[in-house]
Amino acid sequence: MTENAQQQPPAPDSELPTQYAPAEVEGPLYERWVERGYFEADAKSEKPPYTIVIPPPNVTGSLHLGHAFQHTLMDALTRRKRMQGFESLWLPGMDHAGIATQNVVERELGKEGKSRHDLGREAFVERVWQWKDEYGGKILGQMRRLGDGVDWTRERFTMDEGLSQAVQTIFKRLYDDELIYRAERIINWCPRCLTAISDIEVEYQDDDGELVSMKYGEGDDTIVVATTRAETMLGDTAVAVHPDDERYKHLVGRRIKLPLTDRTIPVVADTHVDPEFGTGAVKVTPAHDPNDFAIGQRHDLEALTVMDERGVITVHGPFEGLDRFEARSAIVAALRADGRIVAEKRPYVHSVGHCSRCKTTIEPRLSMQWWVKVAPLAKAAGDAVRDGRVKIHPQEMEKRYFDWVDNLHDWCISRQLWWGHRIPVWYGPDGEVVCVGPDDEPPTGEGWTQDSDVLDTWFSSGLWPFSTLGWPEQTPDLKKFYPTDVLLTGHDIIFFWVARMMMFGLYAMDGEVPFKTIALTGLVRDQFGKKMSKSSGTAVDPLDWMNAYGSDAVRFTLARGANPGTDVPIGEDWVQASRNFANKIWNATRFALMNGATIEGELPPAERLSATDRWILSRLNKTVSQVDALYDDFQFAKLSDALYHFAWDEVFDWYVELSKTTFMAGGEPAKVSGRVLGEVLDVTLKLLHPIVPFVTETLWTTLTGGESIVIADWPKDSGFRDTAAEKEIETLQQVITEVRRFRADQGLQPGQRVPARLTLTGTALAPHEAAIRQLLRLQPEGDAFAATATLPVGGATVALDLSGTIDVAAERKRLAKDLAAAEKEKAQATAKLGNEAFLAKAPDNVVDKIRGRLSKADEDIERIKAQLDGLPQA
């Protein structure tokens, strides 16, 4: 906290407006929090640290519901820990997003009729920086709107000076340890983005294509192969068959004619070939297929590249200069004319890889690239979870993590872009290769050039947990806040980001893990559980909902749907319901303040409290304990639901209503209840604050006069329990609920007053007669009272005079129908529970459910019979 914050506590409003207006409250409140330094973490503090780093959004990005969802949960975690006395650091920043950002700026240049090559590398990179300064980081302002309690003084960018030094440092260390190397291999190539992309940046989808079977060779040397990519046959350097396939043993080792060319190619035997699939023979194009490349390596085959970086055919002949898809049709036509086509299948649906950014069909391409040797790094990342140093939550997600890290291939880290961290390697005129660290001077002189490629974006973001804290320098921040406590992110980027951070963190930090817990969330879906998309009209801009209903409403809706690891459906009506909850909190607190709710003075001892007071305090402490346990288990949906029902049902609908008669009577009991209500509101608002920060701040500072709920102490379970009071109020609730139901069944209006006689003697309900009459709109019985309905419930009897208000015959008929349905339900449940064969096979939860149905049927039968007995004879 800043010195200024300590000197200038805010003056709370003496009164609350009649209505809560989020648009007027949220913006100014957030700026006040930032100005007072509430979110700033102090590396010199003696408080225990609690650290979360934000998954850095792309500099090109804007806030979508997925961001809002995860940011809400991260903010809730850090706000709670701050209130618990931890030095909480939630560190923000952005990713330079190499391909995405370069594409944006290239599109802008295209509008001017220029390309990046017209500017040259240096000028183009400068143009990207200008774009970043002017337009990048839009999402940061939107994070403020959501209420993100991040430490803006520590904001980082993956291309800033400190993080660039970290990237160069770890590249040099990995290179010196022979964990980074350069090699020519097959990679995924995007002909639109003109760069290599990693396996996890390829999206596969079923496309309509064609399967063409064609004859290679002549006469007895003929062999049939099938392909979906006929254009690559120009680069074939072999045909492969299985060594045990008797059909082709006479051809193995011989050379056959490759159609449409003047070349011959060998027939090789390789166990990779499945003799049961197709003809049992496959064409081998080592430069354009990863499996073929491996066959080529085993048989020392030539790798012929027949396409350029844009997917245009480069070999001599009639197909040179054709786009790959144009060449496909032309080559099939030429083969058909030559009598080489045996069969054609169209459409042939098969899985095709596409660039995840531009959706262009990717092209496997032989290319010289830089690679990370991941085997030792991946093993360390797997071991850290297996030995418990890192916990994955929910635990069932561990298998997915292990499936990935235990089967990792070497990682292609070079990208053919201009925007990004340039590979720190120089090549000399005589074949020298020099890797330069951040403290080294690059070689100079004639003939020396730097590698033109940049590093994969995930290389720099993989360093995020420690590079943002100042590594490779041993900074106070690094010492205080590393390792981080929780990585909260979507299960969809386990492969992209989580595994990278684990590998790099363990390597760079001498075996110390980058985070202690990986909390994986699901993805936000529409209200029907389907993926949101702009094309289908289901994509939602969270800012629209924030404008309409307030940020608290959006946050609470998202948190209430956050079950660990599972997707989150969300619809606008749910946000409306959360807005109503915020209004309920506001109105109930406003009522409480007008009726003497206060936190002044000590809470009275239990012997001075009414049963209603003891009940709500007992429930309050149970809720504190429950919420703490659910937070520690990352059960945001359950804790939000628990808070919702405690606040709305128990505090506002029951305690406040039950206390109205006490407040109206005044005197010492009213003062005691005012103090209890103040205590309950104080704790409830604190429990709600991490998820709904704005409305709770306004109400809490008004209630308490405190500086800010952001820096208030988190509630603790005092241990107070009163099971007798809880039982007493549960009985009271049962009476009120049953009579209300009966009134509704008779068609009585909620506010309609009815004469009633209450028989409460000998029950714990006697002190509650005034409250019962008030809540049920029951007036004194009067001299002409005639009981027309008697309801025995909860040990008490409520006799009502409904003269002239109900049709007794119709009511008996309705109740008789309900009784028959309840008795039928009881008979069915009893029969199932008496069936030994059923009990032997049925799961425990199914049996428990049927037992519950039986118990409910018994209760319904008893209730309905009592209502029938209470009705006068027709």
Side-chain angles (χ1 to χ4, degrees):
M1 194 190 311
T2 63
E3 182 178 356
N4 186 51
Q6 295 174 333
Q7 292 175 349
Q8 299 180 21
D13 298 329
S14 57
E15 293 185 2
L16 290 171
T18 55
Q19 291 185 321
Y20 177 50
E24 298 174 12
V25 170
E26 293 174 351
L29 253 189
Y30 186 84
E31 294 309 316
R32 182 164 53 181
W33 290 335
V34 173
E35 289 167 7
R36 295 183 177 184
Y38 293 156
F39 306 139
E40 295 174 19
D42 183 1
K44 298 178 182 178
S45 167
E46 294 184 1
K47 296 179 181 178
Y50 184 82
T51 316
I52 293 181
V53 292
I54 212 164
N58 286 354
V59 67
T60 58
S62 59
L63 190 74
H64 57 64
L65 272 175
H67 289 129
F69 170 53
Q70 292 178 359
H71 286 210
T72 293
L73 305 187
M74 285 184 278
D75 195 28
L77 290 173
T78 49
R79 284 179 182 269
R80 171 176 173 257
K81 285 295 183 179
R82 187 179 292 113
M83 295 172 75
Q84 286 182 315
F86 287 77
E87 196 63 37
S88 290
L89 170 60
W90 186 21
L91 194 148
M94 292 185 298
D95 192 286
H96 66 279
I99 296 176
T101 307
Q102 179 158 318
N103 283 346
V104 168
V105 178
E106 286 197 82
R107 281 197 297 269
E108 293 297 312
L109 283 175
K111 296 175 184 177
E112 303 170 16
K114 297 178 182 177
S115 73
R116 60 181 164 124
H117 300 284
D118 294 324
L119 272 65
R121 183 168 192 144
E122 188 175 336
F124 175 77
V125 170
E126 179 58 32
R127 180 72 174 258
V128 180
W129 277 108
Q130 291 172 6
W131 179 91
K132 185 260 180 187
D133 293 339
E134 187 171 355
Y135 301 106
K138 176 183 178 183
I139 193 171
L140 299 180
Q142 296 168 335
M143 286 162 53
R144 301 170 88 93
R145 179 68 195 281
L146 185 65
D148 282 9
V150 298
D151 186 347
W152 292 109
T153 67
R154 285 177 167 83
E155 180 191 333
R156 303 306 298 267
F157 178 53
T158 50
M159 288 280 286
D160 69 28
E161 184 178 352
L163 270 64
S164 295
Q165 182 184 22
V167 168
Q168 196 171 351
T169 299
I170 201 163
F171 187 100
K172 171 70 171 170
R173 291 188 185 179
L174 289 164
Y175 181 86
D176 290 346
D177 286 345
E178 298 183 349
L179 293 173
I180 282 183
Y181 63 95
R182 192 169 184 242
E184 190 175 43
R185 292 186 180 178
I186 291 283
I187 46 87
N188 302 301
W189 181 266
C190 176
R192 159 62 183 80
C193 297
L194 299 180
T195 182
I197 60 175
S198 66
D199 290 343
I200 50 180
E201 293 169 298
V202 177
E203 293 178 347
Y204 288 90
Q205 66 184 48
D206 286 341
D207 286 356
D208 286 345
E210 60 182 357
L211 181 66
V212 178
S213 299
M214 49 197 179
K215 290 188 296 184
Y216 284 15
E218 304 286 352
D220 293 339
D221 291 348
T222 298
I223 193 166
V224 177
V225 297
T227 182
T228 58
R229 301 169 65 220
E231 68 279 8
T232 64
M233 60 86 58
L234 299 174
D236 286 358
T237 56
V239 170
V241 297
H242 194 275
D244 300 331
D245 196 329
E246 294 293 335
R247 293 171 293 176
Y248 304 118
K249 279 200 170 181
H250 69 289
L251 288 176
V252 174
R254 298 177 63 175
R255 299 185 73 87
I256 62 174
K257 178 78 165 59
L258 180 65
L260 307 183
T261 73
D262 57 2
R263 293 190 292 116
T264 60
I265 57 176
V267 178
V268 299
D270 196 281
T271 54
H272 170 75
V273 179
D274 180 0
E276 302 298 323
F277 183 77
T279 64
V282 297
K283 58 191 286 299
V284 181
T285 320
H288 293 278
D289 182 275
N291 292 323
D292 293 2
F293 177 77
I295 293 174
Q297 293 279 293
R298 288 193 288 272
H299 298 277
D300 197 24
L301 301 175
E302 184 180 6
L304 296 178
T305 299
V306 298
M307 276 180 251
D308 68 10
E309 60 185 8
R310 297 183 184 276
V312 174
I313 302 298
T314 57
V315 293
H316 296 293
F319 312 110
E320 184 177 5
L322 294 180
D323 172 80
R324 53 184 169 155
F325 300 119
E326 296 171 336
R328 181 177 300 174
S329 299
I331 287 170
V332 171
L335 289 167
R336 191 183 301 114
D338 199 28
R340 293 282 178 177
I341 299 297
V342 175
E344 298 178 68
K345 185 177 181 180
R346 295 188 187 85
Y348 178 73
V349 179
H350 62 131
S351 182
V352 177
H354 296 260
C355 174
S356 62
R357 290 177 176 82
C358 70
K359 311 309 176 188
T360 300
T361 301
I362 64 103
E363 191 65 43
R365 175 181 171 85
L366 185 62
S367 180
M368 183 68 75
Q369 302 285 344
W370 285 94
W371 304 81
V372 172
K373 188 184 296 183
V374 299
L377 304 174
K379 182 181 183 304
D383 290 346
V385 174
R386 287 189 169 95
D387 64 24
R389 283 175 290 156
V390 176
K391 304 288 186 185
I392 293 181
H393 190 89
Q395 190 174 2
E396 55 264 28
M397 285 285 181
E398 282 187 2
K399 181 180 184 302
R400 194 170 178 186
Y401 176 81
F402 291 135
D403 286 347
W404 179 251
V405 298
D406 292 347
N407 297 284
L408 269 179
H409 300 296
D410 284 0
W411 172 20
C412 176
I413 56 172
S414 45
R415 299 291 182 266
Q416 290 63 55
L417 304 171
W418 287 357
W419 172 246
H421 295 101
R422 195 164 175 181
I423 288 176
V425 172
W426 270 254
Y427 305 108
D430 298 318
E432 302 96 332
V433 179
V434 176
C435 181
V436 175
D439 299 324
D440 302 330
E441 288 293 330
T444 57
E446 186 176 350
W448 282 92
T449 58
Q450 186 178 359
D451 194 297
S452 60
D453 289 351
V454 301
L455 287 163
D456 178 9
T457 293
W458 297 102
F459 189 95
S460 52
S461 59
L463 315 181
W464 191 252
F466 52 93
S467 64
T468 52
L469 297 172
W471 186 90
E473 302 299 324
Q474 295 303 305
T475 64
D477 276 2
L478 192 64
K479 182 178 179 181
K480 177 75 174 179
F481 297 112
Y482 189 90
T484 67
D485 287 87
V486 176
L487 171 70
L488 189 144
T489 191
H491 61 64
D492 56 324
I493 60 171
I494 292 179
F495 319 129
F496 288 93
W497 192 45
V498 177
R500 313 287 196 217
M501 287 189 290
M502 285 285 283
M503 291 191 298
F504 281 164
L506 290 161
Y507 173 79
M509 299 300 294
D510 299 321
E512 196 168 18
V513 298
F515 22 74
K516 300 165 190 170
T517 300
I518 301 169
L520 297 170
T521 70
L523 308 179
V524 178
R525 305 289 188 181
D526 69 15
Q527 60 188 317
F528 305 109
K530 296 180 179 178
K531 183 177 181 180
M532 289 187 173
S533 70
K534 292 181 181 178
S535 59
S536 63
T538 57
V540 174
D541 184 342
L543 293 174
D544 291 341
W545 281 353
M546 285 187 239
N547 290 335
Y549 308 111
S551 297
D552 281 338
V554 174
R555 290 171 61 115
F556 191 74
T557 305
L558 291 165
R560 204 172 179 191
N563 289 299
T566 60
D567 290 348
V568 183
I570 184 171
E572 188 167 4
D573 54 338
W574 303 342
V575 186
Q576 291 173 348
S578 296
R579 185 268 317 272
N580 295 343
F581 180 50
N583 288 340
K584 181 77 170 182
I585 300 169
W586 183 273
N587 293 332
T589 304
R590 188 169 178 272
F591 167 84
L593 289 169
M594 290 189 297
N595 284 274
T598 180
I599 63 163
E600 292 182 6
E602 293 293 324
L603 198 63
E607 57 268 20
R608 288 181 55 200
L609 302 178
S610 68
T612 308
D613 293 334
R614 298 195 306 277
W615 162 73
I616 196 63
L617 290 174
S618 183
R619 291 294 306 127
L620 178 70
N621 279 286
K622 284 185 177 179
T623 301
V624 170
S625 180
Q626 180 185 17
V627 168
D628 274 336
L630 291 171
Y631 258 118
D632 292 341
D633 199 34
F634 303 100
Q635 296 282 357
F636 295 99
K638 290 182 179 179
L639 73 88
S640 298
D641 210 49
L643 286 171
Y644 175 90
H645 288 294
F646 175 72
W648 191 307
D649 299 344
E650 298 188 83
V651 179
F652 303 143
D653 275 0
W654 282 109
Y655 182 72
V656 169
E657 292 299 318
L658 288 170
S659 300
K660 281 183 178 179
T661 53
T662 304
F663 288 135
M664 285 190 289
E668 185 61 22
K671 290 182 180 179
V672 170
S673 289
R675 180 63 187 88
V676 171
L677 181 53
E679 183 77 12
V680 171
L681 287 175
D682 174 34
V683 173
T684 302
L685 291 171
K686 286 176 179 175
L687 293 174
L688 285 166
H689 172 72
I691 297 173
V692 284
F694 295 106
V695 67
T696 52
E697 168 80 335
T698 306
L699 295 174
W700 186 85
T701 52
T702 304
L703 169 70
T704 68
E707 180 181 342
S708 172
I709 197 171
V710 176
I711 54 173
D713 291 336
W714 182 255
K716 294 181 179 178
D717 178 0
S718 71
F720 177 80
R721 301 287 191 277
D722 193 322
T723 53
E726 289 195 42
K727 181 72 173 174
E728 182 175 325
I729 301 304
E730 284 173 12
T731 303
L732 174 61
Q733 290 171 330
Q734 182 186 1
V735 170
I736 292 170
T737 300
E738 290 295 335
V739 177
R740 278 176 173 168
R741 180 188 299 164
F742 180 79
R743 285 176 56 109
D745 288 344
Q746 311 314 309
L748 298 177
Q749 296 299 315
Q752 185 176 348
R753 293 197 168 273
V754 177
R757 177 184 298 145
L758 305 184
T759 305
L760 307 176
T761 306
T763 73
L765 300 179
H768 302 287
E769 179 168 354
I772 293 172
R773 288 188 177 275
Q774 172 67 23
L775 292 174
L776 291 174
R777 303 295 189 268
L778 303 179
Q779 63 190 40
E781 54 192 270
D783 295 335
F785 180 81
T788 59
T790 304
L791 304 176
V793 57
T797 303
V798 179
L800 304 174
D801 183 352
L802 302 177
S803 304
T805 62
I806 64 169
D807 182 333
V808 175
E811 179 61 14
R812 281 191 173 278
K813 185 176 180 180
R814 185 189 68 80
L815 288 173
K817 183 178 179 181
D818 290 348
L819 180 61
E823 288 174 337
K824 181 179 180 181
E825 174 74 1
K826 178 178 180 179
Q828 290 175 342
T830 301
K832 282 194 174 183
L833 292 174
N835 185 334
E836 294 296 333
F838 169 78
L839 293 176
K841 294 180 180 179
D844 290 344
N845 64 319
V846 173
V847 175
D848 289 343
K849 188 175 181 180
I850 294 171
R851 288 193 179 115
R853 284 170 48 193
L854 178 60
S855 177
K856 175 70 165 51
D858 282 334
E859 291 175 5
D860 287 345
I861 290 169
E862 182 180 354
R863 173 177 58 81
I864 295 167
K865 284 182 175 178
Q867 289 178 335
L868 283 167
D869 291 343
L871 287 174
Q873 296 300 314

